[in-house]
């Protein structure tokens, strides 16, 4: 059975049991800073489990793409370690519980319509205290007692939040995978015969802050099964890598490398690592993660470079990973169309990163040769572990290549030191990750508020309403007095709740005897708009009638920027290419910020074209059409979905003429002419492959132009010119400055010659060496170096050290003739000693160096020290 068929059967089975099929979420967690990656099927559903959000249907199933990178070193060396994998899951949010879960799991696994496993090959483990699960397996399912194992570790608990016992289902793969006489050959033991295929978690307790456990208000089901494991069993292959999820990638790599899979153990490991890592990289880039030096981007860069290094063990010494992108699309595109739709962009990102890494490997060899030379000069034949780790971690230079290089030069590498540095890094990573998987404790006052609230703010900015609920200091209250900071839910509201980059509205809520200032609006767990506010005067009570008024001026500025963001998104695609995709945004009254995927810098000409395209749409005065459509219909229309957003079956489509078409729940102008004007303020890179534009529209754009005009007027006034002649006037002045600069340089050269001539008599002889250490008048470091250059040909074989006071500070310059450099004299070392005497530092080449000091009063002493160092033959020279 193909992996795609297994996935389809899973979703169809649970759909037949009344489950909503949740599309796979992005690998980048949405509004969840506790996670670096989506690492389990339930991760994107956390708000449902902890009560922050109530699902439309409490029964959910999915096939979720996941990333886990805690065991990267094991990938390729074991049969089932992966960085990217798919987790099949079914979930119940306070609906069905253990009996239905166990019955359905058994039906799906054993019914020939679905998976069709031989029931006699299935065994389970349960938590010892979970007698209910034991009886269900034994008495309801009919599983013999000897195939039900009680294990203490069968309790799912990741810290504060929901937790509970679990039951794991194992498949017996047969005698060729293990002998039952082996004490480890049993479900739950360390063996290859009994393969865990499904874990059913019965989330029925809250793990409290004090370490105690209390029953959850609503019991939940969270299950997870690995698609790759199912495929390995149903395709009767030895490992996950031999399934149709990986073999096409492995076979293509074999073609590129000219090797055969299964012929060489070392090559097989490399092929598996490449197949695993390219899947992770392709999907991550497709979800907007660009290789970089931090966070998710660092992990992707590390995996990509690791795959490149394994490619070298196969004899591939050129960029090749990007050629595997289409193969990943062929395997996975049936369920994940994004890896096909974004193929060209993904290929470009991977190829660019590969090429950079090949350059990095060359740079690493240069640095490694320097480290080896330094070690030899110090009398050591060992390259330090810290140095080897720096090469590995900072430059991506593999440890084995460092070892090979060392061996070729009769050296070794401190492996223990390298391992210690690696472990220290892992400890830092573990410390940074701890508690990141916890969920919020289920419940809370907002979860208990089920009152309906109608949003009317698309068309109304003022509406009559009723106060349905008041939250004060994390508790539901009946009233709140003057000065209280509260959260409110209204039966109907014109206030937009922050979403999709658009900030929440501001305004007032007034009723008889009270006035409330609304400062922000967010979403409550049951989807109502939650108004964060301050009671300005009076006392507000639940049930009170009121008038809700949105700040019209602020809202109008926001919607101009929001519609401008849609126009900007389209303009970016037209100018830079279809690979551009939104990677985040902020829409507020004062400005808009738009993050997008794009490799390379953007020229001034391109920015001008982007800005003009947006303004052209404003000048056209195009109507903005907003309609509700089914998700499938909207996609068929070509509507763009926004990064990180989740959509229901019915979506809101925002259409700007024939120009822009996006899914968006935000507020917009009725016609593009209302935006007035659009002005780009800045464009910059904020990460590898991600760039940011900041812009303004409407009156903020007008204010920007006025500020620029005022600056131009000031410049014209200073130049004693009118505005139109400012460029010509500046050009004339710059010409004069250039001419004066040339004159100044000529005069400075003459002064240097005069100063140098007066110093010749101060030179002294120390054996065959001429030494000149003197204080001079030089207004800058350039002038000081000029005097040194004048003296060098006149003094011949010499050491020159000159110092000059500049304000409270000191400038120092030194020169050593080439014949004395060969004898061991070093300008950089001499100048460093002198500078330190003046409270400064510096250095340079053996023949020429410069430095600075903070204490001008010590200059004479410093020059005397320099002369003693040279004439005394001290070791610093």
């Amino acid at each position: 059975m193909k992996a795609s068929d297994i996935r389809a059967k899973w979703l169809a089975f649970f759909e037949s049991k009344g489950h909503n099929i949740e599309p796979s979420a992005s690998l980048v967690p949405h509004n969840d800073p506790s996670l670096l990656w989506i690492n389990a099927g339930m991760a994107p559903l956390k708000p449902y489990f902890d009560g922050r959000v109530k699902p439309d249907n409490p029964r959910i199933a999915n096939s979720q793409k996941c990333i886990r990178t805690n065991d990267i070193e094991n990938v390729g060396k074991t049969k089932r370690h992966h960085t990217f994998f798919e987790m099949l899951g079914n979930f119940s949010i306070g609906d069905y519980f253990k009996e239905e879960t166990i019955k359905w799991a058994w039906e799906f696994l054993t019914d020939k319509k679905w998976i069709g496993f031989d029931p006699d090959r299935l065994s389970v483990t349960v938590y010892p205290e979970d007698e209910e699960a034991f009886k269900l397996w034994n008495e309801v399912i009919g599983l013999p007692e000897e195939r039900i194992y009680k294990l203490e570790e069968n309790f799912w608990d990741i810290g504060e939040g929901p937790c509970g016992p679990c039951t794991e289902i194992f498949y017996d793969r047969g005698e060729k995978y293990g002998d039952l006489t082996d004490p480890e050959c049993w479900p739950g033991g360390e063996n290859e015969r009994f393969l865990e295929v499904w874990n059913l978690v019965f989330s029925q307790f809250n793990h409290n802050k004090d370490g105690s456990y209390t029953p959850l208000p609503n019991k939940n089901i969270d299950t997870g099964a690995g698609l790759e494991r199912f495929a390995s069993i149903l395709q009767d292959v030895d490992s996950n890598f031999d399934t149709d999820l990986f073999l096409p990638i492995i076979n293509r790599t074999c073609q590129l490398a000219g090797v055969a899979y299964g012929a060489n153990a070392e090559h097989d490991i490399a092929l598996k690592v490449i197949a695993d890592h390219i899947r992770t990289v392709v999907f991550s880039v497709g979800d907007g993660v660009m290789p970089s030096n931090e966070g998710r981007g660092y992990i992707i860069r590390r995996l990509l470079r690791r795959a490149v290094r394994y490619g070298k063990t196969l004899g591939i010494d050129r960029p090749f990973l990007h050629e595997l992108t289409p193969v990943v699309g062929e395997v996975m595109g049936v369920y994940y169309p994004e890896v096909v739709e974004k193929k060209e962009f993904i290929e470009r990102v991977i190829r660019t990163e590969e090429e950079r890494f090949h350059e990095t490997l060359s740079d690493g060899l240069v640095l490694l040769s320097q480290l080896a030379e330094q070690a030899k000069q110090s009398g050591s034949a060992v390259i330090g572990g810290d140095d080897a780790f720096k090469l590995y971690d900072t430059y991506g230079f593999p440890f084995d290549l460092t070892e090979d290089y060392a061996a070729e030069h009769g050296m070794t590498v401190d492996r223990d030191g390298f391992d210690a540095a690696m472990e220290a890094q892992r400890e830092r990573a573990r410390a940074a990750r701890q508690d990141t998987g916890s969920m919020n404790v289920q419940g809370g006052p907002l979860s208990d508020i089920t009152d309906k609230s109608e949003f009317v703010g698309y068309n109304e900015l003022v509406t009559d309403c009723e106060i349905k609920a008041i939250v004060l200091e994390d508790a539901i209250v009946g009233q709140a007095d003057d000065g209280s900071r509260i959260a409110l839910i209204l039966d109907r509201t014109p206030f937009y709740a922050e979403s999709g980059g658009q900030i929440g509205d501001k305004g007032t809520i007034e009723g008889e005897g009270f006035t409330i200032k609304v400062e922000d609006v967010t979403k409550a767990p049951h989807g109502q708009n939650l108004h964060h506010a301050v009671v300005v005067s009076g006392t507000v009570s639940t049930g009170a009638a009121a008038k809700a008024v949105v700040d019209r001026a602020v809202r109008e500025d926001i919607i101009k920027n929001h519609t401008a963001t849609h126009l900007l998104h389209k303009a970016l695609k037209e100018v830079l290419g279809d690979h551009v995709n939104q990677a985040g945004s902020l829409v507020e009254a004062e400005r808009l910020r738009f993050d997008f995927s794009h490799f390379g810098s953007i020229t001034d000409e391109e920015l001008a074209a982007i800005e003009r395209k947006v303004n052209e749409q404003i000048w056209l005065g195009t109507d903005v059409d907003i309609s509700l459509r089914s998700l499938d219909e909207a996609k068929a229309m070509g509507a763009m979905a926004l990064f990180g957003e989740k959509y229901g079956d019915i979506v809101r489509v925002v259409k700007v003429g024939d120009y822009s078409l996006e899914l968006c729940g935000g507020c917009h102008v009725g016609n593009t002419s209302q935006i007035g004007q659009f002005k780009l303020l800045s464009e910059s890179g904020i990460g590898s492959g991600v760039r940011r534009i900041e812009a303004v529209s409407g009156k903020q754009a007008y204010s920007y132009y006025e500020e620029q005009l005022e600056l131009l007027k000031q410049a014209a006034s200073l130049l004693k010119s009118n505005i139109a002649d400012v460029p010509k006037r500046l050009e004339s002045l710059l010409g004069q400055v250039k001419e004066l600069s040339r004159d100044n340089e000529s005069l400075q050269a003459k002064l240097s010659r005069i100063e140098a001539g007066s110093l010749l008599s101060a030179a002294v002889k120390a054996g065959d060496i001429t030494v000149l250490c003197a204080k001079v008048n030089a207004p800058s470091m350039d002038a000081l170096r000029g005097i040194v250059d004048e003296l060098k040909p006149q003094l011949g074989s010499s050491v020159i050290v000159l110092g000059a006071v500049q304000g409270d500070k000191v400038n120092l310059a030194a020169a050593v003739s080439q014949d004395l450099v060969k004898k061991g004299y070093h300008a950089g070392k001499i100048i460093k000693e002198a500078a330190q005497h003046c409270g400064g530092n510096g250095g340079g080449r053996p023949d020429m160096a410069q430095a600075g000091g903070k204490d001008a009063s010590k200059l004479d002493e410093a020059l005397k020290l320099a002369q003693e160092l040279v004439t005394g033959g001290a070791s610093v020279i």
Side-chain angles (χ1 to χ4, degrees):
M1 189 184 297
K2 291 182 178 179
S4 57
D5 294 333
I6 299 168
R7 187 195 299 116
K9 283 178 178 287
W10 177 279
L11 299 175
F13 175 81
F14 283 104
E15 190 171 28
S16 74
K17 302 300 183 185
H19 290 62
N20 269 12
I21 304 304
E22 189 89 2
S24 179
S26 167
L27 287 165
V28 180
H30 181 52
N31 290 334
D32 188 354
S34 71
L35 289 177
L36 192 63
W37 299 105
I38 291 298
N39 58 8
M42 59 76 59
L45 310 180
K46 279 168 61 175
Y48 298 153
F49 279 88
D50 60 31
R52 282 175 284 160
V53 178
K54 296 295 180 183
D56 295 332
N57 182 349
R59 298 183 180 189
I60 300 168
N62 67 4
S63 181
Q64 174 63 45
K65 52 188 177 183
C66 303
I67 287 180
R68 291 182 188 175
T69 57
N70 50 319
D71 289 313
I72 291 175
E73 287 77 12
N74 289 326
V75 173
K77 298 174 183 176
T78 70
K79 297 180 179 181
R80 281 174 288 281
H81 268 99
H82 304 295
T83 55
F84 174 90
F85 62 96
E86 283 184 81
M87 186 174 285
L88 307 169
N90 65 288
F91 311 91
S92 168
I93 315 299
D95 186 32
Y96 62 83
F97 202 49
K98 291 183 185 178
E99 182 170 358
E100 295 91 338
T101 305
I102 289 174
K103 282 182 176 179
W104 290 341
W106 188 257
E107 179 185 353
F108 180 73
L109 292 175
T110 61
D111 192 320
K112 293 187 183 301
K113 178 183 176 182
W114 305 109
I115 297 300
F117 283 155
D118 180 351
D120 292 337
R121 285 180 174 251
L122 297 176
S123 303
V124 302
T125 58
V126 297
Y127 184 58
E129 297 178 23
D130 192 0
E131 283 299 320
E132 183 183 1
F134 181 91
K135 288 181 179 179
L136 284 167
W137 281 119
N138 182 233
E139 298 174 9
V140 177
I141 300 301
L143 200 63
E145 187 172 338
E146 61 270 20
R147 300 218 311 269
I148 306 174
Y149 297 80
K150 295 183 177 181
L151 298 179
E152 285 290 339
E153 57 263 34
N154 274 33
F155 193 92
W156 186 83
D157 189 350
I158 58 171
E160 187 185 351
C163 61
C166 64
T167 180
E168 296 171 328
I169 306 172
F170 290 81
Y171 180 81
D172 182 356
R173 305 179 77 198
E175 292 181 5
K176 71 175 181 177
Y177 292 100
D179 188 340
L180 293 178
T181 60
D182 182 345
E184 280 294 322
C185 195
W186 59 281
E190 292 292 328
N191 66 86
E192 289 294 330
R193 177 166 177 167
F194 292 94
L195 186 61
E196 180 198 337
V197 294
W198 203 343
N199 186 14
L200 318 178
V201 179
F202 309 124
S203 188
Q204 61 189 90
F205 301 108
N206 257 338
H207 184 162
N208 303 311
K209 286 184 178 180
D210 61 5
S212 63
Y213 295 84
T214 53
L216 286 174
N218 297 303
K219 297 176 181 178
N220 301 320
I221 291 295
D222 164 21
T223 87
L227 176 63
E228 294 81 5
R229 293 193 177 201
F230 266 126
S232 70
I233 295 170
L234 291 167
Q235 294 173 22
D236 193 22
V237 292
D238 184 54
S239 79
N240 293 357
F241 291 99
D242 298 304
T243 67
D244 64 342
L245 289 166
F246 292 90
L247 266 184
I249 305 171
I250 290 173
N251 290 336
R252 176 60 177 146
T253 309
C254 286
Q255 291 175 358
L256 296 173
V259 300
Y261 180 49
N264 178 293
E266 183 181 350
H267 286 175
D268 286 353
I269 290 174
L271 291 165
K272 292 173 183 177
V273 169
I274 291 166
D276 172 89
H277 289 5
I278 190 60
R279 290 184 358 135
T280 310
V281 172
V282 165
F283 272 89
S284 299
V285 174
D287 280 351
V289 180
M290 300 294 109
S292 67
N293 286 330
E294 58 185 15
R296 299 180 188 97
Y298 173 74
I299 291 173
I300 296 310
R301 172 166 285 168
R302 182 183 173 194
L303 291 176
L304 191 149
R305 291 183 170 190
R306 194 166 186 263
V308 170
R309 296 202 305 266
Y310 272 97
K312 284 184 172 293
T313 69
L314 298 174
I316 307 176
D317 289 316
R318 62 174 182 83
F320 74 99
L321 288 174
H322 63 281
E323 296 181 44
L324 300 177
T325 300
V327 188
V328 177
E330 290 167 10
V331 174
M332 307 296 288
V334 64
Y335 191 69
Y336 301 101
E338 65 269 21
V339 296
V340 176
E341 294 166 357
K342 301 177 182 179
K343 179 177 73 71
E344 291 182 4
F345 175 66
I346 295 170
E347 285 179 342
R348 183 181 175 194
V349 171
I350 294 174
R351 177 164 191 147
T352 300
E353 185 66 19
E354 282 187 278
E355 290 170 347
R356 286 177 180 172
F357 183 47
H358 278 276
E359 293 173 4
T360 296
L361 286 175
S362 299
D363 295 340
L365 280 172
V366 173
L367 184 57
L368 182 54
S369 65
Q370 293 173 353
L371 291 171
E373 186 60 31
Q374 289 171 11
K376 287 179 179 179
Q377 287 181 357
S378 65
S380 173
V382 180
I383 294 174
D386 286 340
D387 288 332
F389 180 74
K390 182 180 179 182
L391 276 167
Y392 168 78
D393 190 51
T394 305
Y395 299 95
F397 202 80
F399 182 80
D400 54 352
L401 287 187
T402 303
E403 280 189 315
D404 291 344
Y405 180 93
E408 290 170 6
H409 292 77
M411 303 179 73
T412 60
V413 186
D414 175 14
R415 180 72 202 223
D416 291 340
F418 176 85
D419 289 342
M422 178 72 81
E423 184 57 33
Q425 186 199 59
R426 287 175 180 152
E427 283 297 328
R428 290 192 294 271
R430 280 192 284 267
R433 281 199 307 263
Q434 64 185 19
D435 294 333
T436 59
S438 300
M439 291 191 288
N440 296 333
V441 175
Q442 195 181 80
L446 294 175
S447 295
D448 297 330
I449 301 174
T450 57
D451 300 272
K452 298 293 184 183
S453 179
E454 180 188 4
F455 174 63
V456 297
Y458 287 133
N459 303 307
E460 301 176 37
L461 296 185
V462 180
T463 188
D464 293 327
C465 61
E466 179 184 333
I467 311 294
K468 300 299 292 184
I470 304 171
V471 177
L472 174 65
E473 296 180 353
D474 206 31
I476 298 174
V477 297
Q479 64 180 38
D481 299 322
D482 182 5
S484 300
R485 286 199 163 273
I486 59 175
L488 291 169
I489 289 179
L490 312 176
D491 67 333
R492 64 198 315 263
T493 178
F495 289 91
Y496 181 83
E498 180 179 353
S499 179
Q502 180 178 328
I503 65 168
D505 281 326
K506 303 182 189 312
T508 59
I509 300 172
E510 295 183 341
E512 187 174 346
F514 66 87
T515 299
I516 299 167
K517 181 182 179 183
V518 177
E519 298 179 335
D520 194 14
V521 187
T522 60
K523 285 288 186 182
H526 290 273
Q528 312 100 320
N529 287 15
L530 185 68
H531 308 74
H532 302 272
V534 178
V535 182
V536 176
S537 63
T539 298
V540 59
S541 303
T542 304
K547 183 181 290 292
V549 182
V550 172
D551 187 319
R552 180 180 293 274
V554 173
R555 167 71 85 83
E556 287 180 351
D557 287 343
I558 290 172
I559 63 175
K560 289 172 185 176
N561 280 335
H562 201 156
T563 306
T565 300
H566 285 220
L567 299 177
L568 172 62
H569 193 180
K570 178 63 175 179
L572 285 165
K573 284 181 173 290
E574 287 188 331
V575 175
L576 303 179
D578 286 335
H579 65 274
V580 169
N581 282 300
Q582 182 172 335
S585 71
L586 173 66
V587 179
E588 52 187 9
E590 294 76 20
R591 63 180 178 131
L592 66 90
R593 186 183 72 212
F594 191 79
D595 299 341
F596 57 98
S597 55
H598 179 65
F599 255 91
S601 59
I602 302 176
T603 66
D604 290 341
E605 291 76 15
E606 287 172 330
L607 288 172
I610 292 163
E611 182 178 274
R612 182 169 184 85
K613 281 181 176 293
V614 175
N615 279 304
E616 283 173 348
Q617 293 302 316
I618 294 171
W619 301 334
L620 285 172
T622 306
D623 286 338
V624 178
D625 177 69
I626 299 174
S627 61
L628 296 178
R629 309 271 182 165
S630 71
L631 183 58
D632 290 340
E633 184 182 3
K635 288 180 177 179
M637 292 169 64
M640 285 191 290
L642 299 187
F643 174 82
E645 288 296 307
K646 297 183 72 173
Y647 300 98
D649 294 332
I650 302 298
V651 294
R652 197 162 174 267
V653 179
V654 177
K655 185 173 182 287
V656 184
D658 295 326
Y659 191 70
S660 170
L661 185 66
E662 292 193 24
L663 306 183
C664 181
C667 304
H668 292 273
V669 299
N671 185 284
T672 58
S673 63
Q674 294 172 244
I675 299 172
Q677 54 188 323
F678 174 83
K679 179 62 186 173
L680 289 176
L681 299 183
S682 66
E683 186 279 328
S684 61
I686 60 170
S688 181
V690 180
R691 305 197 69 83
R692 170 172 291 173
I693 278 179
E694 297 202 21
V696 287
S697 69
K699 67 183 181 185
Q700 283 79 22
Y702 173 79
S703 296
Y704 173 81
Y705 283 119
E706 283 294 298
E707 290 169 4
Q708 300 304 302
L709 181 59
E710 183 58 34
L711 289 173
L712 189 55
K713 286 178 179 179
Q714 291 177 24
S717 176
L718 290 170
L719 292 169
K720 296 181 171 29
S721 164
N722 59 52
I723 290 176
D725 291 335
V726 164
K728 289 182 180 179
R729 180 68 177 138
L730 276 173
E731 187 177 358
S732 174
L733 285 174
L734 288 171
Q736 293 176 35
V737 169
K738 190 173 183 180
E739 186 175 338
L740 289 171
S741 179
R742 282 197 299 265
D743 292 343
N744 183 60
E745 288 174 4
S746 177
L747 288 170
Q748 188 61 56
K750 291 177 182 177
L751 288 172
S752 295
R753 286 194 291 272
I754 294 168
E755 185 81 25
S758 66
L759 289 172
L760 290 173
S761 59
V764 298
K765 281 284 187 177
D768 296 332
I769 304 171
T770 300
V771 182
L772 174 58
C773 296
K775 182 177 178 180
V776 299
N777 292 315
S780 66
M781 182 62 80
D782 286 341
L784 187 62
R785 285 198 304 268
I787 298 172
V788 172
D789 289 339
E790 287 289 336
L791 288 166
K792 282 160 56 178
Q794 299 183 62
L795 291 176
S797 178
S798 62
V799 175
I800 304 168
V801 182
L802 301 183
V805 174
Q806 191 173 6
D808 296 331
K809 297 180 181 179
V810 172
N811 286 332
L812 290 159
V816 176
S817 58
Q818 287 298 328
D819 61 316
L820 296 182
V821 168
K822 294 176 181 177
K823 292 181 179 181
Y825 290 85
H826 196 295
K829 294 180 180 179
I830 297 170
I831 206 77
K832 183 176 182 181
E833 292 286 333
Q836 287 177 344
H837 198 75
C838 294
N841 211 337
R845 305 190 310 269
D847 63 323
M848 187 70 188
Q850 67 184 44
K854 299 176 182 177
D855 189 352
S857 67
K858 298 288 183 69
L859 177 57
D860 291 332
E861 294 177 19
L863 292 168
K864 184 179 179 182
L865 171 64
Q867 184 161 325
E868 290 173 352
L869 288 172
V870 179
T871 58
S875 61
V876 295
I877 61 172

